[in-house]
Amino acid sequence: MSDYLHCENTPILETPRLLLRPPVPADAADLSEWLGLDEIYTYWGRKASGGEKNPEALFIDPRPHVKRKPNPDYNWMLVLKDTGKVIGQLEIFNVENGRMADVGYRVHPALWGQGITTEALRRAIRYAFEETTLQRLNASADVRNIGSNRVLEKCGFLREGTVRQGKMVSTYCDYHIYGLLRSDLSAG
């Protein structure tokens, strides 16, 4: 997941409890309440970055003079409809040739176990396979991260293997590799 939040093609999506929308600088206040918390990074493969500890920095282009190619990734803030608070983030990133991409997510720890990530991910998957050319979504999760593995499986991802003592971001651990194909959804 990227440190600089720009997402010119991310649409607004809805679920019963959530609004999934592109990030805006005003989100920094809500993000500062939870994005830098250590427990979010227990199985992330690294510690929180400087931007994650100081979310206002995530909205500052570190190289404004560089002309950027359009970013094919999707980056959603997860907003609780009843409070308007940003309580999570979900990305479809590393989009490759419009055909496959990776999925990543994180949610305020106070809301873990309430089905919020599953609800958001299901909606993002539906968007990816109904409204884009994506044919495959990839994900990985530390084997010890029971919650994240469960979310992926509830959303239809198939465990395709386990990497033993592989490098996940900047740490070595055992982690599961998951995949979900557009055809998996139409077959199920």
Side-chain angles (χ1 to χ4, degrees), residues 1-41:
M1 297 177 87
S2 61
D3 242 13
Y4 168 57
L5 302 176
H6 79 291
C7 50
E8 57 272 357
N9 64 331
T10 300
I12 296 172
L13 306 175
E14 281 193 63
T15 72
R17 296 182 288 175
L18 301 168
L19 184 65
L20 284 69
R21 62 157 176 76
V24 295
D27 294 337
D30 288 346
L31 292 171
S32 68
E33 294 177 17
W34 60 271
L35 191 57
L37 296 175
D38 289 340
E39 57 262 46
I40 290 176
Y41 303 93

Side-chain angles (χ1 to χ4, degrees), residues 27-177:
D27 294 337
D30 288 346
L31 292 171
S32 68
E33 294 177 17
W34 60 271
L35 191 57
L37 296 175
D38 289 340
E39 57 262 46
I40 290 176
Y41 303 93
T42 301
Y43 304 116
W44 196 258
R46 64 171 174 77
K47 300 277 188 201
S49 70
E52 290 158 337
K53 289 181 179 182
N54 301 297
E56 56 281 341
L58 296 174
F59 296 93
I60 299 169
D61 187 344
R63 300 181 309 155
H65 57 282
V66 173
K67 181 160 175 60
R68 296 178 187 278
K69 294 179 183 173
N71 183 351
D73 296 350
Y74 302 92
N75 184 350
W76 289 281
M77 293 291 117
L78 308 183
V79 181
L80 282 176
K81 285 181 178 179
D82 63 347
T83 65
K85 293 281 268 183
V86 175
I87 51 84
Q89 181 186 18
L90 188 153
E91 285 189 72
I92 296 176
F93 63 107
N94 292 335
V95 175
E96 190 175 312
N97 297 322
R99 183 164 173 81
M100 64 187 264
D102 296 324
V103 172
Y105 45 80
R106 50 191 165 189
V107 170
H108 191 307
L111 299 167
W112 288 353
Q114 296 182 26
I116 287 171
T117 307
T118 301
E119 184 176 320
L121 183 56
R122 281 182 175 147
R123 181 62 185 97
I125 290 167
R126 201 169 90 229
Y127 171 78
F129 289 151
E130 291 177 2
E131 305 293 328
T132 77
T133 59
L134 288 169
Q135 299 294 313
R136 177 184 171 85
L137 295 174
N138 304 306
S140 59
D142 189 308
V143 298
R144 299 166 295 174
N145 190 343
I146 304 302
S148 193
N149 284 283
R150 193 172 296 140
V151 164
L152 292 167
E153 290 167 7
K154 283 197 276 186
C155 289
F157 281 81
L158 299 177
R159 187 182 307 166
E160 297 177 335
T162 302
V163 175
R164 297 178 306 142
Q165 292 304 300
K167 188 172 185 181
M168 193 163 116
V169 186
S170 62
T171 192
Y172 291 89
C173 64
D174 296 349
Y175 61 93
H176 296 308
I177 301 292

